[in-house]
Amino acid sequence: MIYKNFPMVSRVIFGRGSFNQIEEILSPKRLSTKAPFIYFVDDVFKGNAWLTSRIPLSYDDKVIYVSTAKEPETSQIDQLVEQIILDYKELPSGIIGIGGGSVLDIAKAVSIMLTNPGESKNYQGWDLVKNPAIYHVGIPTISGTGAEVSRTTILTGPERKLGINSDFTPFDQVILDPELTKDVPKDQWFFTGMDCFVHCVESLNGTYLNSFSQTYGEKAFSLCKEIFLEDTLSEEDSQDKLMMASWHGGMSIAYSQVGVAHALSYGLGYLLGVKHGIGNCIVFDHLEEYYPDGVAMFKEMKAKHNIKLPQGICKNLSDKEFNIMIDVALSLEPLWENAIGKQWKKVITRDKLRTLYQKM
Ligand code: NAD
Ligand code: ZN
């Protein structure tokens, strides 16, 4: 295969208040009264009637609140799947994720694992999923990761932090309602928003770039510039545009790849539990050598929004710990190949990565 033939989200609705249409979207998809809709909802919304009172529950439908204190783990997915299988006689009609990248990824992974045997860690990688997933719906409540549009669900497993990348991973339906992002705390808005910015920089400066990726990446990049550097947007416009930037950024990497920041950030995430958005920021701050213009702009955005990043997080690590992070980072070969080119192994040495990690 020379050119990838990949699926996209088959249906999407966009607009402030579009979340109100959830019932009309889901009801035709109900398979039977015994086949419930299961909603995974970020527990930040527990007790938030503004959002939860609009979740339409009938028959055996259920809301499961999930904590985002840690990023999704394979063992957590396996437990959730087992619980659903024990609790119901029939497979669900649909799995709905309402939250940030973590909850969207949980919804994707659970919908896949309900129809594929064994443990989720066995599906971390590329194209290992054999059976179509349960109908699944993504409703982002914070913008930036592109998880709403991507072909992956990123999980931390016993051996690695790696996505389940498959044709069955993308959502069947996405509801983009920017109003749902109105209460995101400022720092988190920045960190997750910067995930999108970094996706664009890594895609646009990668060797895998083609016009498909470039057109989406350039649009997302210019939206990020408008949102994070210029003072021209109303709060509502800014929410609307960041939601679309996230979408376009995700589309851009669909046909290319991420790069140096993501590879190193996965190492921090795996060893230290540093979360994706802030981890990318911590790493990206030190990547002038690879992305000079992008890093300069990032520093401008950081200063404008008065964001303070943690410093010295690798200060007290042992050789063994550095090596664990370096192993995780180096294992992400497509990311390095995209960032540096086919000869990447000549320049990306263990010493080089250690020097970078030591700065963080
Ligand atoms: P997140 O899902 O952990 O959410 C960040 C924080 O924001 C959480 O504390 C959450 O409770 C809070 N939050 C979310 N919506 C809110 C709202 N409307 N109001 C108030 N608080 C709100 O973080 P994230 O940055 O969205 O996602 C990171 C995760 O996404 C990681 O697990 C990462 O691996 C994954 N990811 C996946 C993809 C993909 O393509 N599948 C891409 C990038 C990142
Ligand atoms: Zn990312």
Side-chain angles (χ1 to χ4, degrees):
M1 181 177 65
I2 300 174
Y3 296 109
K4 280 192 279 181
N5 179 16
F6 64 83
M8 298 187 6
V9 170
S10 30
R11 279 181 176 265
V12 56
I13 182 168
F14 175 87
R16 304 184 77 80
S18 59
F19 182 54
N20 293 332
Q21 281 171 244
I22 187 166
E23 185 158 18
E24 75 183 56
I25 291 169
L26 292 185
S27 51
K29 299 290 179 186
R30 189 181 293 281
L31 299 171
S32 83
T33 55
K34 294 208 170 57
F37 285 109
I38 310 276
Y39 298 84
F40 290 106
V41 181
D42 189 321
D43 70 2
V44 77
F45 294 111
K46 215 173 191 169
N48 178 334
W50 175 77
L51 184 129
T52 55
S53 66
R54 292 186 279 163
I55 297 176
L57 296 175
S58 31
Y59 308 108
D60 293 334
D61 297 349
K62 186 170 178 188
V63 171
I64 299 177
Y65 288 104
V66 287
S67 160
T68 54
K70 286 201 287 181
E71 295 193 338
E73 296 178 354
T74 52
S75 56
Q76 177 189 11
I77 300 301
D78 297 338
Q79 273 169 20
L80 289 167
V81 168
E82 193 180 327
Q83 198 57 48
I84 292 173
I85 288 174
L86 288 174
D87 285 354
Y88 299 97
K89 290 203 176 64
E90 291 182 18
L91 284 175
S93 295
I95 302 292
I96 299 104
I98 305 179
S102 303
V103 177
L104 297 180
D105 277 357
I106 287 173
K108 286 164 144 183
V110 167
S111 72
I112 289 170
M113 293 311 302
L114 279 165
T115 54
N116 286 276
E119 294 172 86
S120 51
K121 65 175 190 206
N122 300 332
Y123 295 91
Q124 286 179 286
W126 280 270
D127 300 304
L128 302 169
V129 179
K130 298 285 176 293
N131 304 320
I134 300 278
Y135 172 77
H136 51 301
V137 179
I139 309 179
T141 63
I142 180 170
S143 300
T145 64
E148 66 279 12
V149 74
S150 75
R151 188 180 175 272
T152 189
T153 157
I154 302 173
L155 303 176
T156 302
E159 279 155 36
R160 53 190 156 246
K161 181 173 176 187
L162 182 63
I164 301 182
N165 299 265
S166 86
D167 281 354
F168 305 115
T169 310
F171 286 111
D172 298 296
Q173 168 82 56
V174 170
I175 298 180
L176 296 178
D177 181 347
E179 198 182 18
L180 300 183
T181 67
K182 68 181 175 59
D183 296 323
V184 171
K186 169 95 189 269
D187 276 17
Q188 191 63 55
W189 164 80
F190 186 83
F191 298 143
T192 302
M194 284 302 108
D195 191 20
C196 173
F197 179 71
V198 173
H199 291 159
C200 299
V201 174
E202 291 181 319
S203 170
L204 292 170
N205 293 285
T207 62
Y208 288 2
L209 191 69
N210 62 16
S211 296
F212 185 101
S213 291
Q214 188 178 0
T215 45
Y216 282 110
E218 284 174 350
K219 186 69 209 176
F221 185 85
S222 74
L223 287 168
C224 286
K225 237 168 94 179
E226 201 182 352
I227 295 159
F228 291 102
L229 276 186
E230 295 163 16
D231 271 324
T232 50
L233 296 174
S234 70
E235 210 168 306
E236 292 195 352
D237 281 346
S238 173
Q239 291 160 6
D240 290 10
K241 288 192 173 188
L242 189 53
M243 195 160 259
M244 287 321 296
S246 174
W247 183 273
H248 283 76
M251 284 301 296
S252 180
I253 44 178
Y255 225 124
S256 59
Q257 239 321 336
V258 285
V260 182
H262 276 75
L264 294 175
S265 169
Y266 274 39
L268 291 181
Y270 184 80
L271 182 77
L272 302 173
V274 178
K275 297 182 83 186
H276 190 85
I278 191 170
N280 283 350
C281 290
I282 293 170
V283 174
F284 199 64
D285 216 21
H286 298 285
L287 297 185
E288 297 89 346
E289 186 181 343
Y290 302 98
Y291 307 111
D293 299 343
V295 173
M297 194 179 285
F298 169 76
K299 287 185 190 288
E300 233 184 293
M301 293 169 170
K302 200 175 60 150
K304 183 173 169 63
H305 296 287
N306 204 13
I307 300 292
K308 300 270 175 289
L309 292 174
Q311 305 289 327
I313 60 169
C314 297
K315 192 165 71 199
N316 297 320
L317 297 183
S318 64
D319 287 347
K320 189 175 165 206
E321 288 170 315
F322 274 114
N323 282 328
I324 291 172
M325 292 199 296
I326 293 168
D327 286 338
V328 171
L330 286 177
S331 72
L332 298 159
E333 300 207 355
L335 282 65
W336 293 108
E337 191 179 301
N338 175 48
I340 313 287
K342 287 211 184 308
Q343 309 299 318
W344 65 271
K345 286 185 180 153
K346 292 200 175 130
V347 281
I348 301 301
T349 59
R350 300 186 74 86
D351 284 349
K352 179 81 215 173
L353 297 195
R354 171 130 184 185
T355 309
L356 282 167
Y357 275 130
Q358 274 167 336
K359 291 186 189 169
M360 296 171 198

